[in-house]
Structures are given as structure tokens and as C-alpha cells.
Amino acid sequence: MWSALYWYYELRGDSTYSHQLPTDLVLKVLEETGVLLKKGKQLFYNAEGFPWIDVSVINSVDGSYGHPKDFNSKVVTLIAVVGSKGDPAYESLYMDLLMGIAEKLNWELIEEGAGDDGEDIVLRSVLRS
């Protein structure tokens, strides 16, 4: 989804949301960033001095979510991220953060709806054997 106000990103194991990671592992990686603070069981926000960001750690079957069980799971298939476009410099801060997370998890990083026709853009892909 494209917006003039927000960046929308996804981190995922694959495009079918079938690659799972243990929730505890994903939460540990996010907590170790130093710029994300826990605000709920599987929800994070920005630490002071880092641009506004909202991160949801989800067990999703098809990329959608919104039920309490999605935020209280033993496994994760999706990390949904929303960040502010309030300053052009924020994009590189988000990219550094999210690329680092994606690399640690060996997951894809997607910018939602950013293509010319509203398609998702793969910023980091994963090769699995």
C-alpha cells in the first residue's frame, strides 16, 4: 500500500507466509536493535531519538492479521512495519534497521505497494535450498 505519509514494509520468510520462525527468536532480534522498544507482547515502537515506527510480529496465514491470536503465537511468519515519511532522511534509517533484521532472520524485505503499478518491491530476497 502506498501513502504520502507512511512507509509500509514487510519482513517475511517467503511470499506464501509459510516459513516460520520461533517468536522468541524474532523478539530477541528486534529487542537487540537498540532502537525498538516493546509496547505489547509482539508489538514494538521507536526508542527516543529514532523516527516514529510501529512494528507488529505476527503469525499470519496469508499476510493479513488483526485478531488477538495473531499477536500471541509461538511462531512468526510476518513482521509488519509502518514508518513515518516526515523527513526524507528517515528512509535510510528504516532501511538500515530493517535490512539488518532481515539479514539476521534470513528473510525477505518488501516495500509494500511502492512499484509503479502499486506492486510490492522486493528489497532483499532469500534463496533457500
Side-chain angles (χ1 to χ4, degrees), residues 35-118:
V35 297
L36 296 176
L37 302 174
K38 215 167 180 186
K39 71 175 178 181
K41 184 166 173 84
Q42 293 177 216
L43 304 170
F44 290 80
Y45 68 104
N46 57 285
E48 189 173 333
F50 193 82
W52 180 87
I53 193 170
D54 185 77
V55 179
S56 301
V57 178
I58 305 151
N59 181 20
S60 176
V61 175
D62 60 2
S64 59
Y65 57 94
H67 301 287
K69 66 179 173 55
D70 299 327
F71 299 99
N72 189 24
S73 59
K74 293 184 192 273
V75 295
V76 172
T77 60
L78 167 66
I79 302 171
V81 180
V82 181
S84 171
K85 284 186 176 177
D87 182 324
Y90 293 172
E91 182 180 14
S92 65
L93 294 171
Y94 294 140
M95 289 307 306
D96 289 346
L97 171 66
L98 299 176
M99 196 64 75
I101 294 168
E103 288 172 0
K104 286 182 182 174
L105 299 176
N106 193 27
W107 272 16
E108 297 177 332
L109 175 58
I110 309 298
E111 185 178 347
E112 293 185 55
D116 292 338
D117 295 325

